[in-house]
Amino acid sequence: NAGVTQTPKFRVLKTGQSMTLLCAQDMNHEYMYWYRQDPGMGLRLIHYSVGEGTTAKGEVPDGYNVSRLKKQNFLLGLESAAPSQTSVYFCASNLAGGSSYEQYFGPGTRLTVT
Amino acid sequence: GDSVTQMEGPVTLSEEAFLTINCTYTATGYPSLFWYVQYPGEGLQLLLKATKADDKGSNKGFEATYRKETTSFHLEKGSVQVSDSAVYFCALRKTGNQFYFGTGTSLTVIP
């Protein structure tokens, strides 16, 4: 059971370049999320998905797009990277249903945009 | 709206000192409450949780009690170790998809 995995672990982009971050989970979780973590600001939700083929905006969605074509994968795309998107990105997942189910997090992707 | 407020850090303690990290929440209904820990360079890991009022979550010597009357879920440990140095996040979840996280409290334990 690998849990939640993220690819890549590190990436450096130039302003205007695009990239896709991949998140995969093998726990059959319905819900998946993308967060960004910046110093002093905790975790901020970018987008989330409550099931295959569905996505929704979180707190800070601008400049990002997502897709959930398969239940186990959740992709985060940056179409035209900006220095303000320099951050650590975390993917998470959890079971649907009652409130007692916790989120499981991936190890993170450190992105630098120059 | 729903939210979590936790004490700001950073917190620096000597080894074997007593730790308290305060967490209060605002929510309607009956949320579940969580403490997560993030070690340097890693993702968040669940430390403990409590799913109803008066429940006590515990793990690795850490404890937190779900207090509905004070809307609090303070994290405590009787004797911290250097290996406890990390960032600690308080969080809540209600039925549905949304989690609410505090901003995190950095703890450094010095020998």
Side-chain angles (χ1 to χ4, degrees):
Chain A
N1 220 357
V4 180
T5 58
Q6 293 182 231
T7 310
K9 287 187 167 51
F10 302 94
R11 185 73 186 267
V12 178
L13 289 179
K14 288 184 165 41
T15 298
Q17 288 184 319
S18 64
M19 77 164 294
T20 300
L21 282 66
L22 170 64
C23 175
Q25 52 91 8
D26 61 0
M27 298 173 283
N28 203 34
H29 286 171
E30 293 86 356
Y31 294 168
M32 296 186 75
Y33 310 76
W34 277 106
Y35 294 92
R36 59 178 290 173
Q37 185 179 34
D38 302 294
M41 301 191 75
L43 293 173
R44 291 186 291 171
L45 182 64
I46 304 171
H47 286 280
Y48 64 95
S49 167
V50 299
E52 184 179 319
T54 73
T55 63
K57 293 180 180 179
E59 181 187 357
V60 288
D62 294 342
Y64 305 95
N65 55 74
V66 288
S67 64
R68 184 122 180 248
L69 299 180
K70 294 182 179 180
K71 185 177 184 179
Q72 63 267 35
N73 295 339
F74 194 30
L75 279 62
L76 178 71
L78 286 74
E79 289 186 348
S80 179
S84 61
Q85 295 178 304
T86 293
S87 188
V88 181
Y89 292 85
F90 289 100
C91 177
S93 70
N94 60 264
L95 288 168
S99 64
S100 63
Y101 296 123
E102 66 266 28
Q103 277 191 339
Y104 292 79
F105 282 82
T109 296
R110 187 173 293 274
L111 175 66
T112 302
V113 183
T114 61
Chain B
D2 299 336
S3 66
V4 172
T5 302
Q6 63 182 103
M7 67 183 280
E8 293 193 18
V11 175
T12 302
L13 294 173
S14 297
E15 207 165 22
E16 299 184 3
F18 185 86
L19 168 71
T20 299
I21 301 178
N22 290 338
C23 171
T24 58
Y25 68 91
T26 301
T28 56
Y30 303 96
S32 291
L33 301 173
F34 306 85
W35 276 101
Y36 283 83
V37 59
Q38 183 181 31
Y39 298 104
E42 298 184 10
L44 279 70
Q45 306 172 23
L46 180 68
L47 180 59
L48 53 84
K49 69 179 182 182
T51 59
K52 60 182 187 295
D54 300 325
D55 266 3
K56 178 187 283 188
S58 61
N59 186 25
K60 299 181 181 179
F62 291 89
E63 293 183 340
T65 301
Y66 188 160
R67 302 279 189 206
K68 193 162 177 64
E69 63 276 13
T70 54
T71 62
S72 65
F73 193 54
H74 305 322
L75 182 69
E76 296 182 335
K77 187 174 185 182
S79 176
V80 293
Q81 306 301 312
V82 172
S83 58
D84 294 327
S85 297
V87 180
Y88 293 82
F89 291 88
C90 185
L92 74 83
R93 181 189 182 192
K94 299 194 304 188
T95 302
N97 57 279
Q98 194 76 302
F99 280 77
Y100 299 87
F101 287 87
T103 53
T105 301
S106 175
L107 170 66
T108 301
V109 180
I110 55 178

